[in-house]
Amino acid sequence: MASSSALLTGERLVVFLFAARVAHAAPAHLAAPLALLAAAALAVEVAVDRAASDPASPLRRFRTRPGASSGILLGATTLPCVMLARLIQLSRILPTDPNGPEEFAYLEMQYWAVSISCLSVLAFFFWHLCQSTNNGVSKTLKYGSLLVALYLMTFLVFLLKTDGGLLRMGKNAYLLFHGVAAVILIKHILEKFPSCSSFGEALLVSTGLILYFGDMLAHTLSTIQFSASSEALIHTPGIRSEIATVIQGILLGLFVLPLLYKCSLQVWVYCQSLGKQRTQAVVKQAENRIGSGVFYVSLLVALLVLVPSWTHLVGLEVHPFVWILNYMFTNSHGRLALCVYWVCVIYVSIRRFYSISKESTTERILLRKYYHLVAVLIFSPAVIFQPAFLDLAFGAAFAVFLILEMIRVWEVYPLGRTVHQFMNAFTDHRDSDILIISHFSLLLGCALPKWMSSGFNDRPLAPFAGILSLGIGDTMASMIGYKYGVLRWSKTGNKTIEGTAAGITSVLAACSILVSLLASSGYILSQHWLSLSVAVTLSLLLEAYTTQLDNAFIPLVFYSLLCL
């Protein structure tokens, strides 16, 4: 892990400007907790970076991605800023929407849930640092512990404002569940997937997953009215779209699949070893001969049994795959035409770029940026003409990526080796021998802003945040910087001022074109160009300075700033 001895670095400055921009637009009672969380994250990050060179540091048991800083400040502030930006956006319709207060209250609870998750992970790092014998970080840790205590006091004030009785107990348990689960999950990620992520990336993934599945839990409890009273302990407002329910159900089944697969494999091994000594050879034989069959059976059980069970529980009467077929072939001319277009673009691009990667000397970074441009060609028309269908398509693509990565990691016959060879052609230094995450991050970077823009959205450019920042801004910054860049932002980094300037200019030009296209479709740009320029500039400066996985962070930062 790359350490940073200076208190103020380019990445930290950009993150603080980003958090300050979001906090400035928020009410004081919501901005103050974000400021405390950012300050606590900075204190923990400085302490972790200083302890990185200490061989006795307890955090050295977690092997992080080589060449990356800890990224704790960025990881701890990104999702809270996203939720706070959504709160600011939703507050603009409170006077006119009768359901607005209910939605605002639930989103506020999610803001506190993700903040508590981040704070719990900071406390996890803090606890490990306190076990170190290095006294050089003691002063920083004292400041960090004070900030954590101040944050907890702010959280207690929020709890005292909520309703009393059983309802308050349920919400308290719900929020504390997020914190405990986030710590358990990040510990599992850092231990089971060494050298795959930095601390900040693991923090973003763990808190994001807990927030997502916590929302599923709240939706489930709200639907079945799991309460001793007539009111649900956790109430999710409004009617959730069927597309969102289908996506959540499929992802739930796929995240349960590894547990189901491993348990099934263990049961088979145990049954085979009854009456004789269990040896490593028996386990290996099971994995080689039966492992593939067990995986495919587990996959079918997850998709055909577990997924429809949950979707039926929350109100979807038909099987999710039957619903998808009905959706695809009912009034489907536009959707089917879009599918044909996607298949053609994907086929041509994969066939062309895969042959280039094996036969030419084209730099890997430029080859990967070509796929960013392909993402622009694929997703931009769908955001404008078929936004609801794109939500479903993003979920389906992510599900396929998850299945293929499981097949690759576990070497499931007969596709495991083929998938590994193909994916390995497009890896870079941020991918490890265990996980290939760059394709996940590109897909989710484009999908998350679109998913989060479902429902009320008075910022028509917000759904394009991932496409603009990654497909255009990041791509142009890398290509121009690689070919023509001379002036570097730092002595140790490779990012250039020319590349960043090209990225900012290209995104602003793309925004002006998009505004014209959206205006012809009935959308009205309600955001000032100065605010848009600030959002673009901060996002591209983060791309220039950060050593974190930019595909994961930049779209979320850009989306948050566009919502203001």
PDB file of all heavy atoms in Angstrom, residues 11 77 110 117 134 143 148-149 163 179 193 198 236 282 296 340 392 431 458 552 561:
ATOM      1  N   GLU A  11      -5.481  14.255  -3.811  1.00  0.00           N
ATOM      2  CA  GLU A  11      -6.713  13.473  -3.668  1.00  0.00           C
ATOM      3  C   GLU A  11      -7.532  13.948  -2.480  1.00  0.00           C
ATOM      4  O   GLU A  11      -8.755  14.131  -2.576  1.00  0.00           O
ATOM      5  CB  GLU A  11      -6.374  11.990  -3.521  1.00  0.00           C
ATOM      6  CG  GLU A  11      -7.598  11.101  -3.320  1.00  0.00           C
ATOM      7  CD  GLU A  11      -7.229   9.640  -3.161  1.00  0.00           C
ATOM      8  OE1 GLU A  11      -6.350   9.157  -3.915  1.00  0.00           O
ATOM      9  OE2 GLU A  11      -7.831   8.968  -2.297  1.00  0.00           O
ATOM     10  N   THR A  77     -16.552   8.942   2.489  1.00  0.00           N
ATOM     11  CA  THR A  77     -17.404  10.107   2.214  1.00  0.00           C
ATOM     12  C   THR A  77     -18.249   9.971   0.953  1.00  0.00           C
ATOM     13  O   THR A  77     -19.234  10.699   0.803  1.00  0.00           O
ATOM     14  CB  THR A  77     -16.538  11.380   2.077  1.00  0.00           C
ATOM     15  OG1 THR A  77     -15.532  11.170   1.064  1.00  0.00           O
ATOM     16  CG2 THR A  77     -15.866  11.721   3.389  1.00  0.00           C
ATOM     17  N   GLN A 110     -31.805   6.171   5.317  1.00  0.00           N
ATOM     18  CA  GLN A 110     -30.746   5.524   4.554  1.00  0.00           C
ATOM     19  C   GLN A 110     -29.440   6.309   4.627  1.00  0.00           C
ATOM     20  O   GLN A 110     -28.347   5.716   4.650  1.00  0.00           O
ATOM     21  CB  GLN A 110     -31.175   5.361   3.093  1.00  0.00           C
ATOM     22  CG  GLN A 110     -32.185   4.251   2.867  1.00  0.00           C
ATOM     23  CD  GLN A 110     -32.348   3.937   1.401  1.00  0.00           C
ATOM     24  OE1 GLN A 110     -32.643   4.819   0.595  1.00  0.00           O
ATOM     25  NE2 GLN A 110     -32.160   2.691   1.030  1.00  0.00           N
ATOM     26  N   SER A 117     -22.606   2.933   8.841  1.00  0.00           N
ATOM     27  CA  SER A 117     -21.765   1.869   8.286  1.00  0.00           C
ATOM     28  C   SER A 117     -20.327   2.348   8.100  1.00  0.00           C
ATOM     29  O   SER A 117     -19.372   1.657   8.484  1.00  0.00           O
ATOM     30  CB  SER A 117     -22.336   1.398   6.947  1.00  0.00           C
ATOM     31  OG  SER A 117     -23.618   0.846   7.099  1.00  0.00           O
ATOM     32  N   ASN A 134       3.340   1.457  17.896  1.00  0.00           N
ATOM     33  CA  ASN A 134       3.949   2.656  17.343  1.00  0.00           C
ATOM     34  C   ASN A 134       3.281   3.889  17.954  1.00  0.00           C
ATOM     35  O   ASN A 134       2.091   4.127  17.758  1.00  0.00           O
ATOM     36  CB  ASN A 134       3.790   2.656  15.819  1.00  0.00           C
ATOM     37  CG  ASN A 134       4.492   3.847  15.191  1.00  0.00           C
ATOM     38  OD1 ASN A 134       5.119   4.657  15.865  1.00  0.00           O
ATOM     39  ND2 ASN A 134       4.392   3.930  13.878  1.00  0.00           N
ATOM     40  N   TYR A 143      -7.315  12.566  17.955  1.00  0.00           N
ATOM     41  CA  TYR A 143      -8.227  13.426  17.212  1.00  0.00           C
ATOM     42  C   TYR A 143      -9.328  12.592  16.561  1.00  0.00           C
ATOM     43  O   TYR A 143     -10.503  12.975  16.543  1.00  0.00           O
ATOM     44  CB  TYR A 143      -7.471  14.221  16.140  1.00  0.00           C
ATOM     45  CG  TYR A 143      -6.651  15.361  16.692  1.00  0.00           C
ATOM     46  CD1 TYR A 143      -5.277  15.425  16.492  1.00  0.00           C
ATOM     47  CD2 TYR A 143      -7.256  16.385  17.410  1.00  0.00           C
ATOM     48  CE1 TYR A 143      -4.526  16.475  16.991  1.00  0.00           C
ATOM     49  CE2 TYR A 143      -6.514  17.442  17.909  1.00  0.00           C
ATOM     50  CZ  TYR A 143      -5.146  17.482  17.703  1.00  0.00           C
ATOM     51  OH  TYR A 143      -4.402  18.520  18.204  1.00  0.00           O
ATOM     52  N   VAL A 148     -15.035  10.720  16.266  1.00  0.00           N
ATOM     53  CA  VAL A 148     -15.996   9.614  16.300  1.00  0.00           C
ATOM     54  C   VAL A 148     -17.009   9.817  17.417  1.00  0.00           C
ATOM     55  O   VAL A 148     -18.213   9.606  17.253  1.00  0.00           O
ATOM     56  CB  VAL A 148     -15.262   8.271  16.459  1.00  0.00           C
ATOM     57  CG1 VAL A 148     -16.252   7.147  16.763  1.00  0.00           C
ATOM     58  CG2 VAL A 148     -14.476   7.943  15.196  1.00  0.00           C
ATOM     59  N   ALA A 149     -16.541  10.267  18.583  1.00  0.00           N
ATOM     60  CA  ALA A 149     -17.450  10.528  19.704  1.00  0.00           C
ATOM     61  C   ALA A 149     -18.427  11.653  19.387  1.00  0.00           C
ATOM     62  O   ALA A 149     -19.623  11.567  19.704  1.00  0.00           O
ATOM     63  CB  ALA A 149     -16.635  10.873  20.959  1.00  0.00           C
ATOM     64  N   ASP A 163     -39.748   8.922  16.436  1.00  0.00           N
ATOM     65  CA  ASP A 163     -40.875   8.480  17.230  1.00  0.00           C
ATOM     66  C   ASP A 163     -40.418   7.542  18.337  1.00  0.00           C
ATOM     67  O   ASP A 163     -39.390   6.872  18.236  1.00  0.00           O
ATOM     68  CB  ASP A 163     -41.893   7.752  16.337  1.00  0.00           C
ATOM     69  CG  ASP A 163     -42.414   8.670  15.243  1.00  0.00           C
ATOM     70  OD1 ASP A 163     -42.503   9.882  15.515  1.00  0.00           O
ATOM     71  OD2 ASP A 163     -42.725   8.160  14.149  1.00  0.00           O
ATOM     72  N   GLY A 179     -24.182  -1.035  10.625  1.00  0.00           N
ATOM     73  CA  GLY A 179     -22.818  -0.863  11.104  1.00  0.00           C
ATOM     74  C   GLY A 179     -22.122  -2.180  11.368  1.00  0.00           C
ATOM     75  O   GLY A 179     -20.972  -2.399  10.946  1.00  0.00           O
ATOM     76  N   PHE A 193     -10.010 -11.867  -0.101  1.00  0.00           N
ATOM     77  CA  PHE A 193      -9.569 -11.377  -1.413  1.00  0.00           C
ATOM     78  C   PHE A 193      -8.361 -10.461  -1.243  1.00  0.00           C
ATOM     79  O   PHE A 193      -8.452  -9.244  -1.453  1.00  0.00           O
ATOM     80  CB  PHE A 193     -10.710 -10.639  -2.116  1.00  0.00           C
ATOM     81  CG  PHE A 193     -11.950 -11.475  -2.297  1.00  0.00           C
ATOM     82  CD1 PHE A 193     -13.033 -11.332  -1.441  1.00  0.00           C
ATOM     83  CD2 PHE A 193     -12.020 -12.417  -3.298  1.00  0.00           C
ATOM     84  CE1 PHE A 193     -14.166 -12.097  -1.592  1.00  0.00           C
ATOM     85  CE2 PHE A 193     -13.155 -13.203  -3.465  1.00  0.00           C
ATOM     86  CZ  PHE A 193     -14.234 -13.040  -2.605  1.00  0.00           C
ATOM     87  N   SER A 198      -8.032  -1.595  -2.282  1.00  0.00           N
ATOM     88  CA  SER A 198      -7.511  -0.764  -1.197  1.00  0.00           C
ATOM     89  C   SER A 198      -8.526  -0.745  -0.063  1.00  0.00           C
ATOM     90  O   SER A 198      -9.639  -1.277  -0.194  1.00  0.00           O
ATOM     91  CB  SER A 198      -7.268   0.658  -1.699  1.00  0.00           C
ATOM     92  OG  SER A 198      -8.510   1.271  -2.040  1.00  0.00           O
ATOM     93  N   THR A 236     -41.069   1.313   3.770  1.00  0.00           N
ATOM     94  CA  THR A 236     -40.531   1.885   2.538  1.00  0.00           C
ATOM     95  C   THR A 236     -41.669   2.564   1.794  1.00  0.00           C
ATOM     96  O   THR A 236     -42.704   1.944   1.534  1.00  0.00           O
ATOM     97  CB  THR A 236     -39.906   0.795   1.651  1.00  0.00           C
ATOM     98  OG1 THR A 236     -40.858  -0.254   1.449  1.00  0.00           O
ATOM     99  CG2 THR A 236     -38.672   0.217   2.307  1.00  0.00           C
ATOM    100  N   VAL A 282     -10.084 -36.971  -1.751  1.00  0.00           N
ATOM    101  CA  VAL A 282     -11.530 -37.079  -1.922  1.00  0.00           C
ATOM    102  C   VAL A 282     -12.122 -35.725  -2.257  1.00  0.00           C
ATOM    103  O   VAL A 282     -12.968 -35.580  -3.149  1.00  0.00           O
ATOM    104  CB  VAL A 282     -12.179 -37.655  -0.639  1.00  0.00           C
ATOM    105  CG1 VAL A 282     -13.703 -37.625  -0.754  1.00  0.00           C
ATOM    106  CG2 VAL A 282     -11.697 -39.069  -0.383  1.00  0.00           C
ATOM    107  N   TYR A 296     -23.878 -25.815 -11.433  1.00  0.00           N
ATOM    108  CA  TYR A 296     -25.002 -25.549 -12.328  1.00  0.00           C
ATOM    109  C   TYR A 296     -26.339 -25.863 -11.660  1.00  0.00           C
ATOM    110  O   TYR A 296     -27.321 -25.141 -11.867  1.00  0.00           O
ATOM    111  CB  TYR A 296     -24.841 -26.343 -13.620  1.00  0.00           C
ATOM    112  CG  TYR A 296     -23.683 -25.874 -14.474  1.00  0.00           C
ATOM    113  CD1 TYR A 296     -22.646 -26.732 -14.825  1.00  0.00           C
ATOM    114  CD2 TYR A 296     -23.630 -24.564 -14.929  1.00  0.00           C
ATOM    115  CE1 TYR A 296     -21.576 -26.298 -15.600  1.00  0.00           C
ATOM    116  CE2 TYR A 296     -22.571 -24.116 -15.712  1.00  0.00           C
ATOM    117  CZ  TYR A 296     -21.547 -24.987 -16.040  1.00  0.00           C
ATOM    118  OH  TYR A 296     -20.491 -24.547 -16.802  1.00  0.00           O
ATOM    119  N   VAL A 340     -31.181  -5.580 -30.883  1.00  0.00           N
ATOM    120  CA  VAL A 340     -30.448  -5.886 -32.116  1.00  0.00           C
ATOM    121  C   VAL A 340     -29.257  -4.943 -32.272  1.00  0.00           C
ATOM    122  O   VAL A 340     -28.136  -5.364 -32.625  1.00  0.00           O
ATOM    123  CB  VAL A 340     -31.382  -5.787 -33.331  1.00  0.00           C
ATOM    124  CG1 VAL A 340     -30.594  -5.915 -34.631  1.00  0.00           C
ATOM    125  CG2 VAL A 340     -32.464  -6.865 -33.259  1.00  0.00           C
ATOM    126  N   LEU A 392     -33.418  -2.525 -16.638  1.00  0.00           N
ATOM    127  CA  LEU A 392     -33.466  -3.985 -16.667  1.00  0.00           C
ATOM    128  C   LEU A 392     -32.238  -4.566 -17.362  1.00  0.00           C
ATOM    129  O   LEU A 392     -31.679  -5.575 -16.908  1.00  0.00           O
ATOM    130  CB  LEU A 392     -34.746  -4.437 -17.374  1.00  0.00           C
ATOM    131  CG  LEU A 392     -34.989  -5.940 -17.463  1.00  0.00           C
ATOM    132  CD1 LEU A 392     -35.130  -6.540 -16.073  1.00  0.00           C
ATOM    133  CD2 LEU A 392     -36.227  -6.232 -18.304  1.00  0.00           C
ATOM    134  N   ASP A 431      -6.424  -5.135 -11.593  1.00  0.00           N
ATOM    135  CA  ASP A 431      -6.972  -6.473 -11.466  1.00  0.00           C
ATOM    136  C   ASP A 431      -5.941  -7.387 -10.821  1.00  0.00           C
ATOM    137  O   ASP A 431      -4.732  -7.215 -11.002  1.00  0.00           O
ATOM    138  CB  ASP A 431      -7.367  -7.030 -12.836  1.00  0.00           C
ATOM    139  CG  ASP A 431      -8.517  -6.256 -13.450  1.00  0.00           C
ATOM    140  OD1 ASP A 431      -9.537  -6.069 -12.768  1.00  0.00           O
ATOM    141  OD2 ASP A 431      -8.380  -5.816 -14.614  1.00  0.00           O
ATOM    142  N   ASP A 458     -35.084  15.886 -11.253  1.00  0.00           N
ATOM    143  CA  ASP A 458     -35.192  17.176 -11.937  1.00  0.00           C
ATOM    144  C   ASP A 458     -33.869  17.610 -12.544  1.00  0.00           C
ATOM    145  O   ASP A 458     -33.706  18.764 -12.925  1.00  0.00           O
ATOM    146  CB  ASP A 458     -35.700  18.243 -10.965  1.00  0.00           C
ATOM    147  CG  ASP A 458     -34.736  18.481  -9.809  1.00  0.00           C
ATOM    148  OD1 ASP A 458     -33.855  17.629  -9.597  1.00  0.00           O
ATOM    149  OD2 ASP A 458     -34.867  19.516  -9.121  1.00  0.00           O
ATOM    150  N   ALA A 552     -15.196   3.250 -10.231  1.00  0.00           N
ATOM    151  CA  ALA A 552     -16.170   3.101  -9.151  1.00  0.00           C
ATOM    152  C   ALA A 552     -16.510   4.435  -8.503  1.00  0.00           C
ATOM    153  O   ALA A 552     -17.671   4.692  -8.169  1.00  0.00           O
ATOM    154  CB  ALA A 552     -15.638   2.123  -8.096  1.00  0.00           C
ATOM    155  N   LEU A 561     -22.765  15.604  -7.509  1.00  0.00           N
ATOM    156  CA  LEU A 561     -22.658  17.031  -7.822  1.00  0.00           C
ATOM    157  C   LEU A 561     -23.734  17.473  -8.817  1.00  0.00           C
ATOM    158  O   LEU A 561     -24.192  18.616  -8.758  1.00  0.00           O
ATOM    159  CB  LEU A 561     -21.266  17.327  -8.380  1.00  0.00           C
ATOM    160  CG  LEU A 561     -20.108  17.104  -7.389  1.00  0.00           C
ATOM    161  CD1 LEU A 561     -18.767  17.204  -8.096  1.00  0.00           C
ATOM    162  CD2 LEU A 561     -20.173  18.089  -6.235  1.00  0.00           C
TER     163      LEU A 561
END
